[in-house]
Amino acid sequence: MNDTIKLHYDVPGDDFTRAGEASSAVKKTLRKLGVPGEIIRRVAIAMYEGEINMVIHGGGGVADVTISPEAITMVLADQGPGIENLELAMREGYSTASDEVRSLGFGAGMGLPNMKKYSDVMDVFTKVGVGTTVTMTVNLS
């Protein structure tokens, strides 16, 4: 792969039936490009966790993915309430998900920790009342 590929997805808010569509589409694209399975797995997990967070907490948002010869970069942005305490939100098991969301099997407090675990670089920009943008990079080398 010599070229850079840019992909854009709209992630609907409060629609768990469509959550994961973007990460599935990226996974298929990476397979077609012959990206190693372990890289695909890491990208899919990180991106899926981000999508679910956007659905649960951010009212939906957008996901932009750049696939270059060096890395896969995912930028997930929402205009939700923002994260009040990022340090706390990064702790495994910490969740502000509602009981309704938990009853659906989501909201275990592993979203941000897993996003960090499965990406090589992760930056979070969040502002209360404005929204959150998470940028994750998975290196191809």
Side-chain angles (χ1 to χ4, degrees):
M1 177 183 64
N2 298 327
D3 296 333
T4 296
I5 298 168
K6 292 186 182 284
L7 307 169
H8 175 83
Y9 303 95
D10 291 314
V11 179
D14 300 322
D15 186 352
F16 289 97
T17 62
R18 293 189 51 209
E21 286 180 356
S23 52
S24 290
V26 170
K27 194 161 127 177
K28 284 179 189 156
T29 299
L30 294 175
R31 268 201 203 115
K32 285 181 189 170
L33 293 170
V35 172
E38 179 56 25
I39 301 280
I40 294 172
R41 182 177 153 289
R42 291 176 57 211
V43 168
I45 292 169
M47 189 158 166
Y48 178 78
E49 293 283 13
E51 277 184 88
I52 291 297
N53 275 1
M54 284 196 288
V55 171
I56 293 172
H57 305 289
V62 295
D64 289 295
V65 179
T66 303
I67 305 164
S68 75
E70 298 82 32
I72 298 143
T73 302
M74 302 153 274
V75 180
L76 287 70
D78 68 51
Q79 294 176 343
I83 302 168
E84 284 191 31
N85 186 332
L86 184 57
E87 188 180 329
L88 197 54
M90 291 300 298
R91 288 192 195 152
E92 288 187 13
Y94 176 79
S95 179
T96 58
S98 68
D99 289 339
E100 179 186 359
V101 166
R102 289 171 194 259
S103 74
L104 296 171
F106 300 101
M110 292 304 294
L112 284 168
N114 276 340
M115 292 161 71
K116 184 170 180 62
K117 177 180 177 181
Y118 290 103
S119 58
D120 291 309
V121 179
M122 182 174 103
D123 293 307
V124 180
F125 173 80
T126 187
K127 188 167 183 183
V128 174
V130 176
T132 301
T133 300
V134 178
T135 303
M136 297 175 287
T137 301
V138 176
N139 296 320
L140 285 169
S141 54

